[in-house]
Amino acid sequence: METLPIFMKIRHRRCVVIGGGDVASRKVSLLLKAGAAVTVIAPELYATLIEWVDAGEIRHINAMFQPEQLDGACIVIAATDDEDVNRQVSAAAMSRNIPVNVVDAPELCTFIVPSIVDRSPILVAVSSGGAAPVLARMLRTRIETMIPATYGKLAALAADFRDQVKQRFSNSQQRRIFWEDVFQGPIGEQVLSGQESAARQALQQVLKGSGDTHHGEVYLVGGGPGDPDLLTFRALRLMQQADVCVYDKLVSKEVMELVRRDADLVYVGKTRDQHTLPQEKINDLLVRLAQEGKRVLRLKGGDPFIFGRGGEEIETLMEHGVPFQVVPGITAANGVSSYAGIPLTHRDYAQSCLFTTGHLKDGSVDLDWPALVRPGQTVVIYMGLVGLPEICRQLILHGAPANRPIAIVQQGTTPRQRVVAATLETLAEKVEAAGLKAPCLIIVGEVVRLREKLAWFEPSPVAESVE
Ligand code: SAH
């Protein structure tokens, strides 16, 4: 080990930065975050540094560097583009035994500023000892994606309950096991998903002896339209810690690949005509699995609250007091339109956008047609493949011009994406000939024309034939 990692308390202590440019301002920003009393020495200041001086957040010495300026400092950072000055600062600091960092000059440093992941009070610092800062930053980015943004709140919870937990468990091993259970169980999840007061109540109850840390929970997760890269960080994290995954037909196989390997998979998908499992049974299943103490991933295509019946599922969970969280996903309208090169709004063509279902009821599509034919808007129709000919017919019947552009997108965002674009008059026939497979999304409106210019995602025909 070339260096010793330590975390230094600099709150209210004098820290000196030499230099007035962008690099200096980044260092000052870091020092301010840690509460330092910052003095900047530079004959000229730029951008944010000026704002900080004006706001009284930092002190500015408007002068060339002099060694005495370092007296009383707890650390010094040189961030000038003048090598001589940097060298002088380094020598002056070393002779005073003040830790010094010279940006991009490891040989002049007595300490290194690491790349950090800030989840205060938790901090992760990564350093390459000055050998490869770029590598350290890349590693930092990877760690950044692995640690939930609210991770620090777990530490805050632990700090607040530390005394109570100590009273409850005198033995340190018991305390360790207790905290592991809390952090990895539903209480920890509640904190991470922003349900802090519920988490505190639950913890209070456990400490009183009237609750436990092991009960099950449900994650209602939006799996997005198909491309696994469109998952949220939170979705991925929960997918990888679930004990059981209850999923639909709509969830793409690429997304399913990312569910924890050891999780039991329960398919409750619905095909159009045949309901594999009625909704009430799904609701009950989720409750039962959670009551068995499992972490249940309810994985849905797109977003759970957009034509996803997510509301019904959590209603049942609520009735049974099962803890849960809802993780939004990219809904088909968003994902599919982006990948098809069709912006849903556009200053010239569409000032609003409407999502509707095109699901048939008793063989007919029962929609608010006058609202759907208005000009200047985009209409996105979910579940409209079967009803497509009827939808086009009704739109024309209710006054939409027969040449209004319309597109249908099969399995958007996946390697099997196919787009058929035409007009209200011609689409049904084209689609019949193309033999599209569900799921398909319909987009109606002038914005469809933009596709000619904006289409960028063209999966290879080889990949298409996989299905
Ligand atoms: N909750 C989902 C929608 C469920 S309804 C969401 O937010 O996206 C099912 C309908 O979604 C399908 O009939 C289809 O219209 C649409 N859909 C979902 N994923 C799709 C995809 N990858 N490509 C095209 N349509 C999709």
PDB file of all heavy atoms in Angstrom, residues 222-256:
ATOM      1  N   GLY A 222     -41.827  -2.095 -12.310  1.00  0.00           N
ATOM      2  CA  GLY A 222     -42.013  -1.912 -13.741  1.00  0.00           C
ATOM      3  C   GLY A 222     -40.753  -2.362 -14.464  1.00  0.00           C
ATOM      4  O   GLY A 222     -39.669  -1.854 -14.202  1.00  0.00           O
ATOM      5  N   GLY A 223     -40.912  -3.330 -15.344  1.00  0.00           N
ATOM      6  CA  GLY A 223     -39.750  -3.895 -16.047  1.00  0.00           C
ATOM      7  C   GLY A 223     -39.458  -3.192 -17.363  1.00  0.00           C
ATOM      8  O   GLY A 223     -38.567  -3.608 -18.102  1.00  0.00           O
ATOM      9  N   GLY A 224     -40.228  -2.139 -17.670  1.00  0.00           N
ATOM     10  CA  GLY A 224     -39.985  -1.405 -18.908  1.00  0.00           C
ATOM     11  C   GLY A 224     -40.474  -2.166 -20.127  1.00  0.00           C
ATOM     12  O   GLY A 224     -41.013  -3.266 -20.024  1.00  0.00           O
ATOM     13  N   PRO A 225     -40.246  -1.589 -21.301  1.00  0.00           N
ATOM     14  CA  PRO A 225     -40.832  -2.142 -22.518  1.00  0.00           C
ATOM     15  C   PRO A 225     -40.073  -3.329 -23.104  1.00  0.00           C
ATOM     16  O   PRO A 225     -40.567  -3.957 -24.043  1.00  0.00           O
ATOM     17  CB  PRO A 225     -40.785  -0.962 -23.486  1.00  0.00           C
ATOM     18  CG  PRO A 225     -39.670  -0.112 -22.991  1.00  0.00           C
ATOM     19  CD  PRO A 225     -39.596  -0.298 -21.511  1.00  0.00           C
ATOM     20  N   GLY A 226     -38.892  -3.648 -22.615  1.00  0.00           N
ATOM     21  CA  GLY A 226     -38.228  -4.826 -23.169  1.00  0.00           C
ATOM     22  C   GLY A 226     -36.715  -4.771 -23.093  1.00  0.00           C
ATOM     23  O   GLY A 226     -36.071  -5.704 -22.637  1.00  0.00           O
ATOM     24  N   ASP A 227     -36.126  -3.649 -23.523  1.00  0.00           N
ATOM     25  CA  ASP A 227     -34.672  -3.523 -23.465  1.00  0.00           C
ATOM     26  C   ASP A 227     -34.241  -3.461 -21.996  1.00  0.00           C
ATOM     27  O   ASP A 227     -34.651  -2.561 -21.267  1.00  0.00           O
ATOM     28  CB  ASP A 227     -34.265  -2.228 -24.198  1.00  0.00           C
ATOM     29  CG  ASP A 227     -32.752  -2.038 -24.227  1.00  0.00           C
ATOM     30  OD1 ASP A 227     -32.044  -2.746 -23.494  1.00  0.00           O
ATOM     31  OD2 ASP A 227     -32.290  -1.169 -24.992  1.00  0.00           O
ATOM     32  N   PRO A 228     -33.408  -4.416 -21.553  1.00  0.00           N
ATOM     33  CA  PRO A 228     -33.051  -4.442 -20.127  1.00  0.00           C
ATOM     34  C   PRO A 228     -32.265  -3.207 -19.686  1.00  0.00           C
ATOM     35  O   PRO A 228     -32.272  -2.865 -18.511  1.00  0.00           O
ATOM     36  CB  PRO A 228     -32.200  -5.713 -19.992  1.00  0.00           C
ATOM     37  CG  PRO A 228     -31.785  -6.081 -21.365  1.00  0.00           C
ATOM     38  CD  PRO A 228     -32.803  -5.531 -22.305  1.00  0.00           C
ATOM     39  N   ASP A 229     -31.620  -2.532 -20.638  1.00  0.00           N
ATOM     40  CA  ASP A 229     -30.886  -1.319 -20.268  1.00  0.00           C
ATOM     41  C   ASP A 229     -31.821  -0.201 -19.818  1.00  0.00           C
ATOM     42  O   ASP A 229     -31.369   0.809 -19.291  1.00  0.00           O
ATOM     43  CB  ASP A 229     -30.060  -0.802 -21.456  1.00  0.00           C
ATOM     44  CG  ASP A 229     -28.736  -1.530 -21.573  1.00  0.00           C
ATOM     45  OD1 ASP A 229     -28.501  -2.459 -20.777  1.00  0.00           O
ATOM     46  OD2 ASP A 229     -27.947  -1.176 -22.458  1.00  0.00           O
ATOM     47  N   LEU A 230     -33.106  -0.371 -20.046  1.00  0.00           N
ATOM     48  CA  LEU A 230     -34.052   0.680 -19.650  1.00  0.00           C
ATOM     49  C   LEU A 230     -34.606   0.470 -18.248  1.00  0.00           C
ATOM     50  O   LEU A 230     -35.457   1.219 -17.794  1.00  0.00           O
ATOM     51  CB  LEU A 230     -35.211   0.753 -20.660  1.00  0.00           C
ATOM     52  CG  LEU A 230     -34.803   1.136 -22.088  1.00  0.00           C
ATOM     53  CD1 LEU A 230     -36.017   1.161 -23.004  1.00  0.00           C
ATOM     54  CD2 LEU A 230     -34.118   2.497 -22.096  1.00  0.00           C
ATOM     55  N   LEU A 231     -34.125  -0.550 -17.545  1.00  0.00           N
ATOM     56  CA  LEU A 231     -34.557  -0.738 -16.155  1.00  0.00           C
ATOM     57  C   LEU A 231     -33.996   0.378 -15.285  1.00  0.00           C
ATOM     58  O   LEU A 231     -32.929   0.909 -15.566  1.00  0.00           O
ATOM     59  CB  LEU A 231     -34.017  -2.068 -15.623  1.00  0.00           C
ATOM     60  CG  LEU A 231     -34.665  -3.330 -16.155  1.00  0.00           C
ATOM     61  CD1 LEU A 231     -33.837  -4.550 -15.767  1.00  0.00           C
ATOM     62  CD2 LEU A 231     -36.078  -3.461 -15.610  1.00  0.00           C
ATOM     63  N   THR A 232     -34.674   0.688 -14.194  1.00  0.00           N
ATOM     64  CA  THR A 232     -34.107   1.643 -13.242  1.00  0.00           C
ATOM     65  C   THR A 232     -33.123   0.904 -12.333  1.00  0.00           C
ATOM     66  O   THR A 232     -33.173  -0.322 -12.212  1.00  0.00           O
ATOM     67  CB  THR A 232     -35.197   2.287 -12.366  1.00  0.00           C
ATOM     68  OG1 THR A 232     -35.846   1.252 -11.631  1.00  0.00           O
ATOM     69  CG2 THR A 232     -36.210   3.043 -13.198  1.00  0.00           C
ATOM     70  N   PHE A 233     -32.256   1.677 -11.689  1.00  0.00           N
ATOM     71  CA  PHE A 233     -31.318   1.068 -10.733  1.00  0.00           C
ATOM     72  C   PHE A 233     -32.093   0.292  -9.682  1.00  0.00           C
ATOM     73  O   PHE A 233     -31.723  -0.795  -9.278  1.00  0.00           O
ATOM     74  CB  PHE A 233     -30.492   2.144 -10.015  1.00  0.00           C
ATOM     75  CG  PHE A 233     -29.506   2.857 -10.887  1.00  0.00           C
ATOM     76  CD1 PHE A 233     -29.281   4.210 -10.725  1.00  0.00           C
ATOM     77  CD2 PHE A 233     -28.799   2.174 -11.859  1.00  0.00           C
ATOM     78  CE1 PHE A 233     -28.358   4.882 -11.512  1.00  0.00           C
ATOM     79  CE2 PHE A 233     -27.868   2.834 -12.648  1.00  0.00           C
ATOM     80  CZ  PHE A 233     -27.649   4.194 -12.475  1.00  0.00           C
ATOM     81  N   ARG A 234     -33.170   0.900  -9.205  1.00  0.00           N
ATOM     82  CA  ARG A 234     -33.906   0.271  -8.108  1.00  0.00           C
ATOM     83  C   ARG A 234     -34.547  -1.030  -8.575  1.00  0.00           C
ATOM     84  O   ARG A 234     -34.531  -2.031  -7.873  1.00  0.00           O
ATOM     85  CB  ARG A 234     -34.960   1.220  -7.549  1.00  0.00           C
ATOM     86  CG  ARG A 234     -35.629   0.644  -6.325  1.00  0.00           C
ATOM     87  CD  ARG A 234     -36.603   1.591  -5.680  1.00  0.00           C
ATOM     88  NE  ARG A 234     -35.920   2.722  -5.065  1.00  0.00           N
ATOM     89  CZ  ARG A 234     -36.546   3.767  -4.555  1.00  0.00           C
ATOM     90  NH1 ARG A 234     -37.870   3.832  -4.595  1.00  0.00           N
ATOM     91  NH2 ARG A 234     -35.882   4.749  -4.018  1.00  0.00           N
ATOM     92  N   ALA A 235     -35.107  -1.001  -9.786  1.00  0.00           N
ATOM     93  CA  ALA A 235     -35.729  -2.220 -10.312  1.00  0.00           C
ATOM     94  C   ALA A 235     -34.700  -3.345 -10.329  1.00  0.00           C
ATOM     95  O   ALA A 235     -34.958  -4.445  -9.829  1.00  0.00           O
ATOM     96  CB  ALA A 235     -36.266  -1.966 -11.719  1.00  0.00           C
ATOM     97  N   LEU A 236     -33.526  -3.056 -10.839  1.00  0.00           N
ATOM     98  CA  LEU A 236     -32.502  -4.088 -10.957  1.00  0.00           C
ATOM     99  C   LEU A 236     -32.094  -4.616  -9.580  1.00  0.00           C
ATOM    100  O   LEU A 236     -31.962  -5.813  -9.373  1.00  0.00           O
ATOM    101  CB  LEU A 236     -31.284  -3.521 -11.690  1.00  0.00           C
ATOM    102  CG  LEU A 236     -30.175  -4.525 -11.961  1.00  0.00           C
ATOM    103  CD1 LEU A 236     -30.684  -5.647 -12.858  1.00  0.00           C
ATOM    104  CD2 LEU A 236     -28.979  -3.844 -12.616  1.00  0.00           C
ATOM    105  N   ARG A 237     -31.931  -3.696  -8.649  1.00  0.00           N
ATOM    106  CA  ARG A 237     -31.508  -4.118  -7.304  1.00  0.00           C
ATOM    107  C   ARG A 237     -32.541  -5.063  -6.694  1.00  0.00           C
ATOM    108  O   ARG A 237     -32.203  -6.116  -6.153  1.00  0.00           O
ATOM    109  CB  ARG A 237     -31.327  -2.878  -6.415  1.00  0.00           C
ATOM    110  CG  ARG A 237     -30.787  -3.175  -5.044  1.00  0.00           C
ATOM    111  CD  ARG A 237     -30.418  -1.895  -4.310  1.00  0.00           C
ATOM    112  NE  ARG A 237     -31.537  -0.989  -4.152  1.00  0.00           N
ATOM    113  CZ  ARG A 237     -32.512  -1.163  -3.270  1.00  0.00           C
ATOM    114  NH1 ARG A 237     -32.498  -2.214  -2.485  1.00  0.00           N
ATOM    115  NH2 ARG A 237     -33.503  -0.301  -3.194  1.00  0.00           N
ATOM    116  N   LEU A 238     -33.822  -4.701  -6.805  1.00  0.00           N
ATOM    117  CA  LEU A 238     -34.864  -5.537  -6.206  1.00  0.00           C
ATOM    118  C   LEU A 238     -34.996  -6.860  -6.964  1.00  0.00           C
ATOM    119  O   LEU A 238     -35.253  -7.906  -6.370  1.00  0.00           O
ATOM    120  CB  LEU A 238     -36.196  -4.778  -6.187  1.00  0.00           C
ATOM    121  CG  LEU A 238     -36.187  -3.516  -5.319  1.00  0.00           C
ATOM    122  CD1 LEU A 238     -37.506  -2.765  -5.433  1.00  0.00           C
ATOM    123  CD2 LEU A 238     -35.905  -3.854  -3.854  1.00  0.00           C
ATOM    124  N   MET A 239     -34.804  -6.805  -8.274  1.00  0.00           N
ATOM    125  CA  MET A 239     -34.867  -8.041  -9.063  1.00  0.00           C
ATOM    126  C   MET A 239     -33.804  -9.019  -8.595  1.00  0.00           C
ATOM    127  O   MET A 239     -33.978 -10.227  -8.669  1.00  0.00           O
ATOM    128  CB  MET A 239     -34.660  -7.729 -10.559  1.00  0.00           C
ATOM    129  CG  MET A 239     -35.892  -7.114 -11.214  1.00  0.00           C
ATOM    130  SD  MET A 239     -35.491  -6.307 -12.783  1.00  0.00           S
ATOM    131  CE  MET A 239     -35.119  -7.711 -13.813  1.00  0.00           C
ATOM    132  N   GLN A 240     -32.687  -8.471  -8.119  1.00  0.00           N
ATOM    133  CA  GLN A 240     -31.584  -9.349  -7.749  1.00  0.00           C
ATOM    134  C   GLN A 240     -31.612  -9.786  -6.299  1.00  0.00           C
ATOM    135  O   GLN A 240     -30.744 -10.535  -5.867  1.00  0.00           O
ATOM    136  CB  GLN A 240     -30.267  -8.677  -8.116  1.00  0.00           C
ATOM    137  CG  GLN A 240     -30.226  -8.531  -9.630  1.00  0.00           C
ATOM    138  CD  GLN A 240     -28.887  -8.136 -10.180  1.00  0.00           C
ATOM    139  OE1 GLN A 240     -28.046  -7.606  -9.463  1.00  0.00           O
ATOM    140  NE2 GLN A 240     -28.687  -8.370 -11.459  1.00  0.00           N
ATOM    141  N   GLN A 241     -32.598  -9.324  -5.539  1.00  0.00           N
ATOM    142  CA  GLN A 241     -32.661  -9.798  -4.161  1.00  0.00           C
ATOM    143  C   GLN A 241     -33.972 -10.514  -3.858  1.00  0.00           C
ATOM    144  O   GLN A 241     -34.246 -10.850  -2.721  1.00  0.00           O
ATOM    145  CB  GLN A 241     -32.418  -8.644  -3.183  1.00  0.00           C
ATOM    146  CG  GLN A 241     -33.560  -7.656  -3.088  1.00  0.00           C
ATOM    147  CD  GLN A 241     -33.221  -6.521  -2.125  1.00  0.00           C
ATOM    148  OE1 GLN A 241     -32.082  -6.111  -2.015  1.00  0.00           O
ATOM    149  NE2 GLN A 241     -34.217  -6.017  -1.421  1.00  0.00           N
ATOM    150  N   ALA A 242     -34.780 -10.764  -4.900  1.00  0.00           N
ATOM    151  CA  ALA A 242     -36.088 -11.390  -4.646  1.00  0.00           C
ATOM    152  C   ALA A 242     -35.940 -12.893  -4.403  1.00  0.00           C
ATOM    153  O   ALA A 242     -35.048 -13.538  -4.931  1.00  0.00           O
ATOM    154  CB  ALA A 242     -36.985 -11.150  -5.848  1.00  0.00           C
ATOM    155  N   ASP A 243     -36.850 -13.426  -3.583  1.00  0.00           N
ATOM    156  CA  ASP A 243     -36.896 -14.876  -3.373  1.00  0.00           C
ATOM    157  C   ASP A 243     -37.787 -15.537  -4.413  1.00  0.00           C
ATOM    158  O   ASP A 243     -37.605 -16.687  -4.758  1.00  0.00           O
ATOM    159  CB  ASP A 243     -37.458 -15.195  -1.979  1.00  0.00           C
ATOM    160  CG  ASP A 243     -36.595 -14.613  -0.879  1.00  0.00           C
ATOM    161  OD1 ASP A 243     -35.365 -14.791  -0.951  1.00  0.00           O
ATOM    162  OD2 ASP A 243     -37.141 -13.947   0.028  1.00  0.00           O
ATOM    163  N   VAL A 244     -38.813 -14.786  -4.840  1.00  0.00           N
ATOM    164  CA  VAL A 244     -39.732 -15.341  -5.826  1.00  0.00           C
ATOM    165  C   VAL A 244     -40.160 -14.225  -6.773  1.00  0.00           C
ATOM    166  O   VAL A 244     -40.295 -13.072  -6.364  1.00  0.00           O
ATOM    167  CB  VAL A 244     -40.945 -16.025  -5.128  1.00  0.00           C
ATOM    168  CG1 VAL A 244     -41.540 -15.158  -4.067  1.00  0.00           C
ATOM    169  CG2 VAL A 244     -42.019 -16.439  -6.118  1.00  0.00           C
ATOM    170  N   CYS A 245     -40.315 -14.572  -8.046  1.00  0.00           N
ATOM    171  CA  CYS A 245     -40.698 -13.574  -9.038  1.00  0.00           C
ATOM    172  C   CYS A 245     -42.004 -13.985  -9.701  1.00  0.00           C
ATOM    173  O   CYS A 245     -42.107 -15.067 -10.282  1.00  0.00           O
ATOM    174  CB  CYS A 245     -39.589 -13.442 -10.083  1.00  0.00           C
ATOM    175  SG  CYS A 245     -40.084 -12.487 -11.535  1.00  0.00           S
ATOM    176  N   VAL A 246     -43.006 -13.135  -9.579  1.00  0.00           N
ATOM    177  CA  VAL A 246     -44.305 -13.379 -10.205  1.00  0.00           C
ATOM    178  C   VAL A 246     -44.371 -12.476 -11.433  1.00  0.00           C
ATOM    179  O   VAL A 246     -44.323 -11.254 -11.308  1.00  0.00           O
ATOM    180  CB  VAL A 246     -45.438 -13.027  -9.213  1.00  0.00           C
ATOM    181  CG1 VAL A 246     -46.799 -13.245  -9.860  1.00  0.00           C
ATOM    182  CG2 VAL A 246     -45.301 -13.850  -7.935  1.00  0.00           C
ATOM    183  N   TYR A 247     -44.420 -13.071 -12.621  1.00  0.00           N
ATOM    184  CA  TYR A 247     -44.249 -12.242 -13.821  1.00  0.00           C
ATOM    185  C   TYR A 247     -45.297 -12.562 -14.889  1.00  0.00           C
ATOM    186  O   TYR A 247     -45.947 -13.592 -14.880  1.00  0.00           O
ATOM    187  CB  TYR A 247     -42.836 -12.413 -14.383  1.00  0.00           C
ATOM    188  CG  TYR A 247     -42.580 -13.771 -14.992  1.00  0.00           C
ATOM    189  CD1 TYR A 247     -42.535 -13.954 -16.372  1.00  0.00           C
ATOM    190  CD2 TYR A 247     -42.395 -14.885 -14.187  1.00  0.00           C
ATOM    191  CE1 TYR A 247     -42.303 -15.199 -16.934  1.00  0.00           C
ATOM    192  CE2 TYR A 247     -42.172 -16.144 -14.736  1.00  0.00           C
ATOM    193  CZ  TYR A 247     -42.127 -16.289 -16.103  1.00  0.00           C
ATOM    194  OH  TYR A 247     -41.913 -17.526 -16.650  1.00  0.00           O
ATOM    195  N   ASP A 248     -45.388 -11.619 -15.828  1.00  0.00           N
ATOM    196  CA  ASP A 248     -46.353 -11.682 -16.937  1.00  0.00           C
ATOM    197  C   ASP A 248     -45.681 -12.092 -18.234  1.00  0.00           C
ATOM    198  O   ASP A 248     -44.477 -12.000 -18.371  1.00  0.00           O
ATOM    199  CB  ASP A 248     -46.843 -10.278 -17.265  1.00  0.00           C
ATOM    200  CG  ASP A 248     -47.723  -9.701 -16.225  1.00  0.00           C
ATOM    201  OD1 ASP A 248     -48.166 -10.429 -15.311  1.00  0.00           O
ATOM    202  OD2 ASP A 248     -47.961  -8.507 -16.341  1.00  0.00           O
ATOM    203  N   LYS A 249     -46.505 -12.301 -19.205  1.00  0.00           N
ATOM    204  CA  LYS A 249     -46.035 -12.545 -20.570  1.00  0.00           C
ATOM    205  C   LYS A 249     -45.326 -11.311 -21.139  1.00  0.00           C
ATOM    206  O   LYS A 249     -44.415 -11.417 -21.939  1.00  0.00           O
ATOM    207  CB  LYS A 249     -47.276 -12.846 -21.417  1.00  0.00           C
ATOM    208  CG  LYS A 249     -47.005 -13.265 -22.841  1.00  0.00           C
ATOM    209  CD  LYS A 249     -48.367 -13.543 -23.496  1.00  0.00           C
ATOM    210  CE  LYS A 249     -48.296 -13.584 -24.997  1.00  0.00           C
ATOM    211  NZ  LYS A 249     -47.558 -14.705 -25.533  1.00  0.00           N
ATOM    212  N   LEU A 250     -45.767 -10.134 -20.687  1.00  0.00           N
ATOM    213  CA  LEU A 250     -45.261  -8.900 -21.277  1.00  0.00           C
ATOM    214  C   LEU A 250     -43.786  -8.630 -20.960  1.00  0.00           C
ATOM    215  O   LEU A 250     -43.118  -7.893 -21.668  1.00  0.00           O
ATOM    216  CB  LEU A 250     -46.123  -7.732 -20.774  1.00  0.00           C
ATOM    217  CG  LEU A 250     -46.119  -6.469 -21.609  1.00  0.00           C
ATOM    218  CD1 LEU A 250     -46.556  -6.745 -23.031  1.00  0.00           C
ATOM    219  CD2 LEU A 250     -47.047  -5.431 -20.962  1.00  0.00           C
ATOM    220  N   VAL A 251     -43.298  -9.219 -19.869  1.00  0.00           N
ATOM    221  CA  VAL A 251     -41.904  -8.961 -19.489  1.00  0.00           C
ATOM    222  C   VAL A 251     -40.979  -9.669 -20.482  1.00  0.00           C
ATOM    223  O   VAL A 251     -41.110 -10.862 -20.711  1.00  0.00           O
ATOM    224  CB  VAL A 251     -41.622  -9.492 -18.066  1.00  0.00           C
ATOM    225  CG1 VAL A 251     -40.177  -9.208 -17.680  1.00  0.00           C
ATOM    226  CG2 VAL A 251     -42.587  -8.882 -17.066  1.00  0.00           C
ATOM    227  N   SER A 252     -40.058  -8.916 -21.072  1.00  0.00           N
ATOM    228  CA  SER A 252     -39.229  -9.508 -22.140  1.00  0.00           C
ATOM    229  C   SER A 252     -38.270 -10.541 -21.566  1.00  0.00           C
ATOM    230  O   SER A 252     -37.897 -10.498 -20.398  1.00  0.00           O
ATOM    231  CB  SER A 252     -38.430  -8.418 -22.853  1.00  0.00           C
ATOM    232  OG  SER A 252     -37.340  -8.008 -22.051  1.00  0.00           O
ATOM    233  N   LYS A 253     -37.846 -11.456 -22.435  1.00  0.00           N
ATOM    234  CA  LYS A 253     -36.938 -12.493 -21.937  1.00  0.00           C
ATOM    235  C   LYS A 253     -35.592 -11.895 -21.543  1.00  0.00           C
ATOM    236  O   LYS A 253     -34.938 -12.381 -20.630  1.00  0.00           O
ATOM    237  CB  LYS A 253     -36.780 -13.620 -22.963  1.00  0.00           C
ATOM    238  CG  LYS A 253     -36.287 -13.200 -24.333  1.00  0.00           C
ATOM    239  CD  LYS A 253     -36.120 -14.450 -25.187  1.00  0.00           C
ATOM    240  CE  LYS A 253     -35.335 -14.152 -26.438  1.00  0.00           C
ATOM    241  NZ  LYS A 253     -36.082 -14.129 -27.664  1.00  0.00           N
ATOM    242  N   GLU A 254     -35.225 -10.786 -22.186  1.00  0.00           N
ATOM    243  CA  GLU A 254     -33.965 -10.133 -21.827  1.00  0.00           C
ATOM    244  C   GLU A 254     -34.031  -9.573 -20.397  1.00  0.00           C
ATOM    245  O   GLU A 254     -33.053  -9.619 -19.650  1.00  0.00           O
ATOM    246  CB  GLU A 254     -33.644  -8.991 -22.806  1.00  0.00           C
ATOM    247  CG  GLU A 254     -33.270  -9.437 -24.215  1.00  0.00           C
ATOM    248  CD  GLU A 254     -34.480  -9.634 -25.137  1.00  0.00           C
ATOM    249  OE1 GLU A 254     -35.628  -9.537 -24.654  1.00  0.00           O
ATOM    250  OE2 GLU A 254     -34.270  -9.896 -26.339  1.00  0.00           O
ATOM    251  N   VAL A 255     -35.176  -9.056 -20.030  1.00  0.00           N
ATOM    252  CA  VAL A 255     -35.344  -8.529 -18.674  1.00  0.00           C
ATOM    253  C   VAL A 255     -35.392  -9.687 -17.673  1.00  0.00           C
ATOM    254  O   VAL A 255     -34.767  -9.633 -16.603  1.00  0.00           O
ATOM    255  CB  VAL A 255     -36.609  -7.644 -18.574  1.00  0.00           C
ATOM    256  CG1 VAL A 255     -36.965  -7.336 -17.125  1.00  0.00           C
ATOM    257  CG2 VAL A 255     -36.409  -6.346 -19.353  1.00  0.00           C
ATOM    258  N   MET A 256     -36.089 -10.760 -18.028  1.00  0.00           N
ATOM    259  CA  MET A 256     -36.179 -11.919 -17.131  1.00  0.00           C
ATOM    260  C   MET A 256     -34.799 -12.493 -16.806  1.00  0.00           C
ATOM    261  O   MET A 256     -34.563 -12.994 -15.716  1.00  0.00           O
ATOM    262  CB  MET A 256     -37.040 -13.028 -17.767  1.00  0.00           C
ATOM    263  CG  MET A 256     -38.526 -12.787 -17.728  1.00  0.00           C
ATOM    264  SD  MET A 256     -39.167 -12.428 -16.078  1.00  0.00           S
ATOM    265  CE  MET A 256     -38.840 -13.961 -15.212  1.00  0.00           C
TER     266      MET A 256
END
